[in-house]
Amino acid sequence: MAIRNIRTDGDEVLRKVSKEVPEVNDKIRQLISDMIETMHDADGVGLAAPQIGILKRIIVLDMYDDEGPFAIINPEMVYQDGEQIEEEGCLSIPGYNGMVERPMNVAVKGLNENGEEIMVEGTELLARALCHEIDHLNGVLFKDKVINE
Ligand code: NI
């Protein structure tokens, strides 16, 4: 386990498109473990692999509820519905917050750390976090989507 450096806005790695993970192996599980530790150390609810400089399609989330932290490998949005406009922030843009419109409900499919297919359904904060983290895998930062007051 290791806490990795979180890359910040201006680092070009945050603007690249991450690659699909072809195989879920021990190396990927170690990476996920480090991502969760790094997210917790920074008091975040989500982290995407490019934020620690790894261009792989992996996100981790923790709503600090009974579910505990979890990872989605190769996440793919398969459903979205409704809208919400709430304040958002990002561990890669410290000290900056802004209002972003997101769907109210989403469903995301992908693989868990055992390589099994999973479907994660999220509403409100979890829906927002899923959208935010998947955006990171496509080189998109929330500040690109902030609604000007
Ligand atoms: Ni972020």
Side-chain angles (χ1 to χ4, degrees), residues 22-41:
E23 185 200 356
V24 182
N25 54 27
D26 283 346
K27 202 175 160 204
I28 295 297
R29 281 184 278 274
Q30 181 61 56
L31 172 59
I32 287 169
S33 168
D34 286 356
M35 286 174 65
I36 289 172
E37 192 175 357
T38 302
M39 170 179 69
H40 284 160
D41 180 65

Side-chain angles (χ1 to χ4, degrees), residues 51 89-92 132-133 136:
Q51 290 183 273
C90 178
L91 295 177
S92 291
H132 178 118
E133 301 312 331
H136 273 300

Side-chain angles (χ1 to χ4, degrees), residues 13-24 28 31 35 48-51 53-59 72-76 111 133-139:
V13 77
L14 294 173
R15 292 305 190 173
K16 303 225 159 122
V17 176
S18 292
K19 291 193 168 65
E20 294 260 325
V21 174
E23 185 200 356
V24 182
I28 295 297
L31 172 59
M35 286 174 65
Q51 290 183 273
I54 308 284
L55 289 169
K56 295 184 189 301
R57 301 189 80 81
I58 304 173
I59 62 176
I72 311 176
I73 300 158
N74 301 335
E76 191 183 327
L111 302 174
E133 301 312 331
I134 291 172
D135 274 353
H136 273 300
L137 304 181
N138 296 318

Side-chain angles (χ1 to χ4, degrees), residues 6-10 14 42 51 89-97 142:
I6 297 179
R7 306 296 185 93
T8 53
D9 190 21
L14 294 173
Q51 290 183 273
C90 178
L91 295 177
S92 291
I93 317 178
Y96 175 69
N97 295 285
F142 88 94

Side-chain angles (χ1 to χ4, degrees), residues 81-94:
D81 175 61
E83 64 175 57
Q84 54 169 323
I85 298 173
E86 296 290 342
E87 193 174 67
E88 216 161 292
C90 178
L91 295 177
S92 291
I93 317 178

